[in-house]
Amino acid sequence: MENSLPHPPAGTSAWTLRLPALSLVLFLLLLTLLVWLTRVHDEESQRATLISDVLWMEQNLQFHLDRNATQLGQLGPELVSPQISLQTDAQLRQLLRSDSGLVRIIWLDQAGDIIGALPPLSDDHLIGESRGTVPARSVYRLARSIGRPVYSPAYEVAGGGHHFEVHVPTYTEAGLIGAVVGVYSLQALIIRELPWWFSERYRVSVLDPDGAEIAAKSKVAPVSDRQRYTMAFDPPGHGLRLQITAYEGDMRWIPMLLIASIVLLGGIIVWSLWQLRLQLARRQAAEQALRGETLFRKAMEDSLLTGLRARDLEGRITYVNPAFCRMVGFSEAELINRLPPMPYWDPEHIDRTLEVHDQILAGNAPREGVELQLRRKDGAHIDTMIYEAPLIDAEGRHAGWMGSMLDITEQKRARDLARQQEERLQATSRLITMGEMASTLAHELNQPLAAITSYNNGCLNRLADGVTDIEELQDIHQKIARQARRAGEIIRRVHDFVRRSEPKREPLDVNAVIIDAVGLLEADSRKRRMRVLTKLDDRLPEVAADPVMIEQVIVNLVRNAMDAMANTPPERRIVRITTCEEGGQAIVRVADQGPGIEPEVALRLFEPFFSTKQEGMGMGLNICRSIAELHHGRLGFEIAPDGGTIFTLSLPIDQEPS
Ligand code: ADP
C-alpha cells in the first residue's frame, strides 16, 4: 500500500511559486504605466486644448484689431475734414463704447498734429506724451511712410494701466491727408475681448519685453503653471507677449474614478495574492507535517515485529504490514483482497480457525487474544497470538477489523518444554517420595499379604480337618477378600501417586484427595508414631484441578510436618489437616506442632534445592508452590500461636476448567 504523498517536481514548484509573484510585479508595473499614460494623455489633451484655444484667441484678437484699424481708416477722411458729421460722431462713439478695447480716438493732420480727439485728451496721456508717443510722431511717420496701420509700443498711463496706439494713415484721392490714432487700453482689450468661458479656463496676461506683467484678465493666479503658453502679442508687437495659463482643470471624475477603482482592484488583488501565498505556505507546512507523519508511521509499521492486518466487514484483507508477510511467508500482493479461507490457514486446524474467524467477524474476539496455529507458505507451522479490534475509520464508522499478530512459536515451544520439565520434575519428586516411603509401604503391604496367607492356611487346615461349616469358611474368605482389597488399595494409591500423565483440570473434591493422601501416608505416620487428624468441611465445593498434583502437595506438606515433629514428644506428634471455604477459595491447612520456622529459613523456604535436612533435596515446597500457581492458587505459611507451623494451600472455586 502506497502511503507516501507524491512530491511535486522541483522545477514545477519553483515556477508555480514564482509565476504569481512575477505576474504581480508585471501587473503593478502595467498599472503604474497605465496611470502614468492616462495622466500624460490627459495633460497632452489639456495642452492641445490650450494651444487650440490660444490660437483661437490670437486670431480673434488679430481679427478684432484689424477690424478696428479698418473702421478707423474708414472714419479717417471724415475726421480730418473740418466738419465732422453727426453720423461720424455716432460711429466714433459706437467704436469707443463697444467691446473694442479702444479708450480714445485721436485724429491728426498731415503733419501729424492733433486735430481732435474723443474723448478729449486728458492728463492720463501725460506719461505717453512725455515719451513722445501720444500720438508718437515716429509711429505716425512710419505709418505715413508705409501707408498701412502701425502699432506703437505700450506705455504706462497716469492712474495705472498701459495703453498702446494704432496709427491708421488716412488717404483721399489727393493723397495722405492725416491719420486716425486708436488708443487701446491693454486691460480693457483683454477683459472685453475675451469671452467668459475663456477667462474661466485661463488666466490671460500681457508681459512687457522685460517680462513684467502689465495687464491681466482675472486677478486670481493659477494654482500651478504646468499648463502655460507664452506667445508674441503681435500686433501691437514691440516685444509684448501674451501669457495664457490654464487654471487647474475641473477634476475629471470618470477617469479618476476609473484609475482609483483600478488601483483599488490592484490593491485587492495584491492583498488576496498575499493571503493566498500565506495560505499556501500554511498548507505546504501542513502537507510537510503530514508527509513526515505518514513516513514516520510507515516506517513504524514497516519496522514493527508485530504483524498487522486489516480486513473489511466481509473479511477481505485490505492491508498487511511487512512483519505479517514475513510471518506467513506470503507477499502483500498475494494477500491483499483475499477472502477467507486464507492461504495461511492450517488445514489441520481448519475447524478451530474458522471458529475463531467467525468469532472475530461477529465482534466476539476475546480481548486477551486468541492462540491460533497457522501454516506458512513453505508449509512450516507457526503458533500465533492474534489480537483483534474493530477498525473505526475517520468518520467514526466501523469499517472492518484490525488484527495484530505475534509469532509465539518459539515461546510456545519453550513454554511446552518448561512445562514438560516441570511435569518430569514433579513426577521425579513423587517417585523420590515413594522411594523414601518404599520400605514402609512394603511393610504395609506385607501385613495384608501375611494375613491372607494365614487366613488361607487356616482355611486349608479347616478343610483338611473335614470341617464343612460353610458359614465359617465364608467368613474366612470374606476376611481374605478384605485383606486383598486393602493390599489392592495400597497399590492403587501408590500407582495413582507415581503415574505420570498429562496434567488435567477436572472438577475435584479436595476432601477426597486429602483422604487418599492420608491413606498413602498412613503406614509412614504409623511408623513414625505420629497421628494425622483431619477435619474436613463436607460442604466444600469442588475446584478445577489435577488430582495427582494436589495429592502431591498434601503428601509433601504432611511429610514436611512429620519431619518437623521428629523431636516433638510422641503425645504431641499430631498433624492436623483442615479444609474450609473462605472468600471464594478452597483452603487446605496443614498444621504441625514442630519447632516452627526460623526467619532466615523462612526467607528461602520456596527456593529450589533449599533444604535444612541431611537427606533433603529441597524441591518439595518449590514444586508445591508451582502447582498452586498453576491452578491460580497460592501456597503460604504462618507460625501457629501454640507453636508449630501452618501451611495453607488456597485454590479458587468457580474456576472454569480450561
Ligand atoms: P526438603 O523437605 O527436601 O528439605 P522442602 O522444599 O520440602 O525440601 O522444604 C525445605 C525446607 O523447609 C526444609 O528443609 C525445612 O527446613 C523447611 N520446612 C518445610 N516444612 C516445614 C515445617 N512444617 N516446619 C519447619 N520447617 C519446615
Side-chain angles (χ1 to χ4, degrees), residues 333-407:
E334 287 171 305
L335 294 175
I336 293 291
N337 287 330
R338 280 298 291 254
L339 274 164
M342 301 304 174
Y344 48 79
W345 284 6
D346 187 354
E348 289 170 29
H349 296 88
I350 197 76
D351 292 342
R352 160 111 176 107
T353 313
L354 265 172
E355 186 191 323
V356 169
H357 176 78
D358 292 344
Q359 211 179 357
I360 291 169
L361 287 200
N364 298 327
R367 289 184 67 83
E368 64 276 6
V370 200
E371 254 188 60
L372 201 61
Q373 198 175 62
L374 302 176
R375 206 172 64 170
R376 288 172 53 84
K377 195 179 182 183
D378 59 14
H381 290 279
I382 42 165
D383 288 302
T384 60
M385 191 75 188
I386 297 176
Y387 300 89
E388 209 74 36
L391 186 65
I392 308 296
D393 69 9
E395 274 89 46
R397 280 188 311 238
H398 179 199
W401 303 96
M402 188 75 209
S404 51
M405 190 167 95
L406 288 175
D407 184 350

Side-chain angles (χ1 to χ4, degrees), residues 97-348:
R97 243 202 324 265
S98 69
D99 301 335
S100 63
L102 283 168
V103 290
R104 176 169 282 120
I105 297 168
I106 304 168
W107 47 101
L108 308 173
D109 62 10
Q110 200 178 10
D113 293 324
I114 297 169
I115 305 171
L118 193 78
L121 287 169
S122 65
D123 288 347
D124 62 354
H125 274 75
L126 282 177
I127 298 171
E129 217 168 353
S130 68
R131 284 185 185 166
T133 54
V134 180
R137 286 192 181 277
S138 58
V139 180
Y140 170 66
R141 275 196 296 275
L142 186 62
R144 197 178 61 181
S145 64
I146 63 171
R148 282 200 291 126
V150 172
Y151 289 83
S152 77
Y155 52 86
E156 201 171 357
V157 293
H162 283 75
H163 288 180
F164 72 89
E165 298 160 0
V166 58
H167 290 237
V168 185
T170 307
Y171 290 92
T172 57
E173 282 139 13
L176 180 87
I177 54 163
V180 181
V181 177
V183 181
Y184 284 97
S185 160
L186 266 176
Q187 192 72 17
L189 180 69
I190 290 172
I191 289 176
R192 288 187 190 147
E193 191 48 39
L194 294 178
W196 63 268
W197 61 265
F198 196 86
S199 40
E200 258 190 9
R201 273 194 214 165
Y202 308 107
R203 181 175 196 268
V204 182
S205 56
V206 182
L207 308 179
D208 69 6
D210 301 329
E213 191 179 279
I214 51 174
K217 178 150 185 167
S218 162
K219 291 192 179 65
V220 186
V223 193
S224 102
D225 55 3
R226 272 219 318 275
Q227 292 286 349
R228 167 174 286 175
Y229 193 77
T230 309
M231 57 186 277
F233 188 14
D234 191 15
H238 301 286
L240 284 187
R241 280 175 298 154
L242 272 172
Q243 191 175 61
I244 298 96
T245 313
Y247 289 118
E248 213 43 35
D250 277 350
M251 214 42 151
R252 288 151 69 98
W253 280 109
I254 292 176
M256 280 307 286
L257 271 177
L258 214 64
I259 287 174
S261 41
I262 289 176
V263 169
L264 185 74
L265 274 176
I268 292 174
I269 291 174
V270 169
W271 182 82
S272 47
L273 268 176
W274 183 253
Q275 289 300 317
L276 215 65
R277 203 185 130 82
L278 286 181
Q279 208 174 348
L280 200 73
R282 275 199 293 271
R283 206 192 144 110
Q284 273 182 341
E287 259 179 29
Q288 192 65 37
L290 188 69
R291 191 174 296 128
E293 174 82 12
T294 312
L295 289 178
F296 173 65
R297 280 181 189 277
K298 173 111 181 72
M300 248 174 29
E301 282 167 23
D302 290 355
S303 52
L304 262 183
L305 295 175
T306 310
L308 294 180
R309 172 215 51 196
R311 289 189 293 185
D312 62 14
L313 290 171
E314 290 171 49
R316 182 185 287 107
I317 295 181
T318 53
Y319 166 78
V320 283
N321 75 339
F324 188 88
C325 296
R326 276 197 301 276
M327 274 182 207
V328 296
F330 287 93
S331 72
E332 185 181 328
E334 287 171 305
L335 294 175
I336 293 291
N337 287 330
R338 280 298 291 254
L339 274 164
M342 301 304 174
Y344 48 79
W345 284 6
D346 187 354
E348 289 170 29

Side-chain angles (χ1 to χ4, degrees), residues 556-557 560-561 563-564 592 595-597 601 605 610-613 616-622 645 647:
N556 254 320
L557 294 180
N560 273 350
D563 287 346
D592 63 56
I597 296 173
V601 175
L605 211 60
F610 172 77
S611 175
T612 56
K613 300 167 196 168
M617 197 169 69
M619 283 305 291
L621 286 180
N622 181 267
T645 316
F647 274 84

Side-chain angles (χ1 to χ4, degrees), residues 434-451 483 486-487 490 494 520 522-528:
M434 270 304 125
E436 285 166 359
M437 298 198 300
S439 63
T440 322
L441 282 169
H443 177 69
E444 180 78 356
L445 263 182
N446 232 358
Q447 277 183 356
L449 289 178
Q483 291 303 323
R486 202 178 139 205
I490 292 166
V494 172
L520 193 65
E522 205 179 307
D524 199 20
S525 56
R526 202 179 314 120
K527 189 179 157 201
R528 300 196 202 196

Side-chain angles (χ1 to χ4, degrees), residues 60 386 447 509 517 540 565 577:
N60 198 35
I386 297 176
Q447 277 183 356
D509 177 3
L540 188 71
M565 291 190 296
I577 308 177

